[in-house]
Amino acid sequence: MSVGFRAVQWNRDKVVYDAILLAGVIAFIGTFLFVSFSLHPAKDSPDEIDRFIRAFGVCAFAMLTIVLSIGPLARLSPRFLPLLYNRRHFGVFTFIVAALHVGFMIEWYGVQGNLPNLLVELMTWADYARFIGFPFKALGIAALLILFVMAATSHDFWLGFLTPPVWKAIHMALYVAYGLVVLHVALGIMQYDRSPLIPAMLFVGFGIVTALHIAAGVRERWRDGGRVISPGWIAVGPPQSIPDKGARIVTAPDGERIAVFRDGNRIGALTNLCAHQNGPLGEGRIIDGCITCPWHGYQYRLEDGCAPAPFTEKLTTYRVRIHRGFVEVDPVPLPPGTPAAISFASP
Amino acid sequence: MTRRHRLMHRLIWPVLAVIVTLGLASALVLRPPPPNVQEQAK
Ligand code: HEM
Ligand code: FES
């Protein structure tokens, strides 16, 4: 992936994913509005617009909750990997729904002819020193800005331009956006509207995201095996303990993770970080003779960590050996693309 | 995730989570009572 800018690559899966997503958003907002207007018919035009603000706001909150749950869910069970495949489109959709929420809010002021009040509200600086009474819309604006930056830099062009570590670090800001949205609602509508559904929505959403992250974190710690026995080498286990066409992940003394793959009687070790978005390569499988990343399907050769032509990505490899019946890895990284896989005699 | 990234993540996110939890809980506790309750109290 080095030949400069390329437009979004459409394929059938992505179109299906987006179609399902769009249908879901329309169904959610449609149901929300239908229930809302059935229970309490709108009194006037601002009241009607208010329902749209709420419908789009709740939908954006639900979407953000899902986007942030996809990562840990995919680590807990491969069943959720299809969601991860196109998570970025999910993020862009979330931004659009949130932007429409703001659009209706501006219209709400517009139909009443008091748009300037919005500015007055946001520029009453004394309110920023309060907790209850804090200009909650400013929290929403900050969250929307983050969502905008995410959507605007979601393309692979930016990924290559910024490098995966920087890009990933920027995308961590999505968690900050989530916190801002929770407080936007807690200090905003929750203060005037006594419906127990509002705090319930916040606690459930925030609780799900937090619990999933803790669960995925605990599981990762538990899996971080790898004992250093002979100096410098990390023991992985007998060759057969590595699933065929799969990997075991070990942690080097410096904390970097190494994926040790087995393809029949061939064994090779590479960094656990995919060159695309640092996806967990060791959770992938060998498909058509190539190690295939579980996130978006980038492929690498077991022999030398190089992507097959015409691609040019190269991964760091590690030396492996069989010592007293155990596969062992030398945690000193070799230059990316160095051939290092070995064959062992089948028992 | 690279090692440095994972370390930052481990340090920062619990702090953010605690801030948001406290903010949410205090916003719930401190919110003004609805108008009709105020009238009943008088
Ligand atoms: C420029 C940024 C934003 C502004 C000015 C804004 C403004 C508002 C306003 C005025 C309300 C109160 C609605 C009412 O009175 O019924 C509200 C509620 C809400 N907003 Fe925002 N918002 C912004 C961004 C966001 C974002 C980015 C999200 C989510 C991703 C969001 C989610 C919500 C939710 C969930 C509610 C509560 C709806 C309910 O339960 O009734 N807002 N917002
Ligand atoms: S992270 Fe995207 S393919 Fe590996």
Side-chain angles (χ1 to χ4, degrees):
Chain A
M1 296 274 151
S2 58
V3 279
F5 182 83
R6 258 190 286 173
V8 181
Q9 295 177 8
W10 293 100
N11 61 34
R12 212 182 136 267
D13 283 348
K14 284 196 180 172
V15 174
V16 170
Y17 186 108
D18 287 355
I20 294 174
L21 203 54
L22 187 62
V25 169
I26 292 173
F28 184 96
I29 292 175
T31 310
F32 189 105
L33 290 174
F34 177 77
V35 172
S36 171
F37 286 124
S38 307
L39 291 179
H40 311 281
K43 295 192 292 279
D44 48 22
S45 155
D47 187 29
E48 193 181 320
I49 297 170
D50 194 54
R51 310 299 173 85
F52 280 83
I53 301 178
R54 287 172 171 229
F56 281 84
V58 172
C59 186
F61 179 77
M63 291 174 81
L64 206 49
T65 306
I66 296 173
V67 167
L68 291 179
S69 301
I70 291 176
L73 275 177
R75 319 206 112 230
L76 289 169
S77 161
R79 256 179 309 155
F80 296 100
L81 281 171
L83 280 174
L84 217 151
Y85 175 61
N86 220 1
R87 176 165 59 169
R88 283 185 276 175
H89 284 202
F90 209 126
V92 174
F93 267 80
T94 306
F95 165 71
I96 294 172
V97 172
L100 288 169
H101 163 76
V102 178
F104 284 113
M105 193 247 359
I106 291 173
E107 196 190 343
W108 187 85
Y109 281 89
V111 292
Q112 300 174 86
N114 57 3
L115 216 45
N117 278 4
L118 179 58
L119 279 182
V120 172
E121 250 180 70
L122 285 171
M123 298 195 333
T124 309
W125 308 120
D127 283 352
Y128 285 87
R130 298 165 59 182
F131 179 63
I132 301 297
F134 189 91
F136 70 96
K137 293 191 183 92
L139 297 169
I141 293 173
L144 192 72
L145 278 178
I146 293 177
L147 288 179
F148 172 73
V149 172
M150 299 296 119
T153 60
S154 67
H155 193 276
D156 265 352
F157 165 75
W158 285 99
L159 182 65
F161 185 73
L162 296 167
T163 73
V166 173
W167 189 84
K168 268 254 134 140
I170 293 179
H171 276 68
M172 284 288 138
L174 214 50
Y175 291 96
V176 178
Y178 194 67
L180 288 168
V181 170
V182 170
L183 294 177
H184 163 70
V185 182
L187 295 175
I189 190 73
M190 195 180 84
Q191 299 296 320
Y192 327 115
D193 187 326
R194 309 299 291 193
S195 162
L197 288 177
I198 296 173
M201 168 182 88
L202 297 179
F203 277 109
V204 168
F206 185 64
I208 287 176
V209 170
T210 311
L212 282 175
H213 277 79
I214 292 174
V218 166
R219 201 175 127 143
E220 237 168 56
R221 271 222 162 161
W222 177 77
R223 198 166 42 194
D224 275 6
R227 285 165 304 133
V228 181
I229 33 171
S230 10
W233 290 81
I234 304 171
V236 182
Q240 306 300 338
S241 72
I242 305 173
D244 189 24
K245 309 225 181 280
R248 283 189 56 182
I249 300 167
V250 293
T251 308
D254 68 356
E256 219 48 83
R257 285 185 188 160
I258 302 170
V260 187
F261 275 91
R262 178 165 80 88
D263 188 1
N265 66 343
R266 304 271 305 150
I267 289 185
L270 323 91
T271 169
N272 193 42
L273 300 174
C274 177
H276 180 217
Q277 279 177 36
N278 288 343
L281 210 55
E283 291 169 31
R285 301 198 46 77
I286 296 182
I287 300 173
D288 299 332
C290 278
I291 294 168
T292 307
C293 177
W295 279 14
H296 316 92
Y298 273 41
Q299 293 194 308
Y300 308 92
R301 287 198 299 249
L302 177 68
E303 279 69 39
D304 53 9
C306 294
F311 302 108
T312 52
E313 291 84 6
K314 283 192 181 111
L315 297 180
T316 301
T317 53
Y318 296 86
R319 289 198 298 152
V320 279
R321 70 175 184 190
I322 308 274
H323 184 65
R324 295 198 198 120
F326 270 60
V327 177
E328 293 184 354
V329 185
D330 179 0
V332 177
L334 299 169
T338 310
I342 59 165
S343 296
F344 65 93
S346 312
Chain B
M1 285 206 262
T2 58
R3 177 179 138 74
R4 215 163 58 98
H5 176 196
R6 201 160 58 226
L7 210 79
M8 291 288 285
H9 188 254
R10 251 181 218 165
L11 287 178
I12 291 175
W13 91 254
V15 177
L16 285 176
V18 168
I19 293 174
V20 173
T21 311
L22 287 179
L24 178 52
S26 31
L28 195 61
V29 172
L30 296 175
R31 66 179 169 175
N36 55 343
V37 175
Q38 269 171 342
E39 270 160 37
Q40 278 167 8
K42 268 178 206 163

